[in-house]
Amino acid sequence: MTALLTIESLAVGYGGAPVIASLDLAVEEGTVVALLGANGAGKTTLLRTVSGLITPRGGRILLDGDDLAGVAVEDRARCGLAQVPEGRSVVAELTVEENLQLGALWRHRRRAERRVAVDEMYELFEPLARRRSSAGHQLSGGERQMLALARALVAEPRVLLLDEPSLGLAPRVVAQLLAVIRGTVDRTGLTVLLAEQNVTSALSVADRGVVLGLGEVVADAPAAELAADPALRHAYLGF
Ligand code: ATP
């Protein structure tokens, strides 16, 4: 397998001290990498830097070998990078259908192709099919997170950057969402970088777990190994 996303000697900060000092990470195509670590470890900062919302102070981010430096956020989306930020970002005033149509516009110019792509999302996320005429603000937390995820997936990204999708959701809904992500990865070869505080859920769906501590990679191991090793869990994950 080859690395689709490569991060080399990345340095990021917001003014004073660096948040990420010198981070290296390679994410192989068709895998889920769980990005773990305590509050403030730099997970969100890393995702926002990869998606282009934050400009790094140093280092490189390569997508399929191409340096993303100087590639604007919207152009990164066209290259196949999609971010679902924390907080279930959907357009609250638009219906489920309209949100998905907007997402599909990134990928498909033809109306008929958009229809097929949106209908595929209704198959993946059945609750959304029942709510297709409801506005974003009328949805439950779980439905909003499904819509945020579906809106990203409908554009058929190569790399999905997911920030805390489980936040505030019932375990059953989290399991449903993660199952859809895993299924999509296995079916399509999607690559996922999943930042999560919910370590057990994240490792249950990931191929690899990477633990950040103060902007550095402090552990990097197969997910099953990380989940099963009490010393690793205790040292880095706090349980
Ligand atoms: P959490 O799970 O709490 O979101 P995280 O691992 O995602 O944590 P970040 O949100 O990336 O961590 O934050 C890393 C550090 O950067 C923290 O010390 C945080 O206070 C700081 N930080 C984050 N965003 C900003 C900002 N916009 N301006 C200044 N400092 C920030």
Side-chain angles (χ1 to χ4, degrees), residues 36-166:
L36 309 168
N39 275 332
K43 304 181 296 294
T44 298
T45 301
L46 177 59
L47 294 188
R48 288 170 63 84
T49 308
V50 173
S51 64
L53 292 166
I54 300 174
T55 305
R57 291 176 174 174
R60 299 199 305 167
I61 301 172
L62 309 172
L63 179 65
D64 214 2
D66 292 328
D67 194 338
L68 292 176
V71 181
V73 180
E74 60 275 18
D75 293 326
R76 291 187 192 201
R78 280 190 200 96
C79 294
L81 271 178
Q83 183 168 13
V84 179
E86 200 176 310
R88 298 158 206 161
S89 74
V90 301
V91 185
E93 298 75 23
L94 297 185
T95 64
V96 166
E97 172 71 21
E98 288 163 343
N99 268 282
L100 292 176
Q101 286 289 342
L102 265 184
L105 262 180
W106 280 99
R107 178 64 57 197
H108 301 290
R109 249 179 347 109
R110 292 173 196 277
R111 183 193 294 249
E113 289 169 357
R114 289 201 294 277
R115 183 72 267 150
V116 171
V118 169
D119 284 344
E120 275 174 16
M121 292 302 117
Y122 289 139
E123 277 174 35
L124 277 182
F125 300 95
E126 282 172 12
L128 293 183
R130 293 193 290 274
R131 301 285 263 150
R132 67 177 74 199
S133 305
S134 302
H137 66 81
Q138 296 174 311
L139 304 179
S140 69
E143 288 167 344
R144 275 176 83 108
Q145 186 60 277
M146 279 181 205
L147 181 55
L149 191 54
R151 202 173 63 146
L153 289 178
V154 77
E156 295 166 20
R158 299 183 73 191
V159 178
L160 182 64
L161 308 166
L162 263 178
D163 200 355
E164 298 273 355
S166 78

Side-chain angles (χ1 to χ4, degrees), residues 1-5 26-33 189-192 208:
M1 282 200 276
T2 47
L4 180 59
L5 183 69
V27 182
E28 285 168 359
E29 185 156 24
T31 64
V32 179
V33 171
L190 173 71
T191 304
V192 178
R208 220 171 104 209

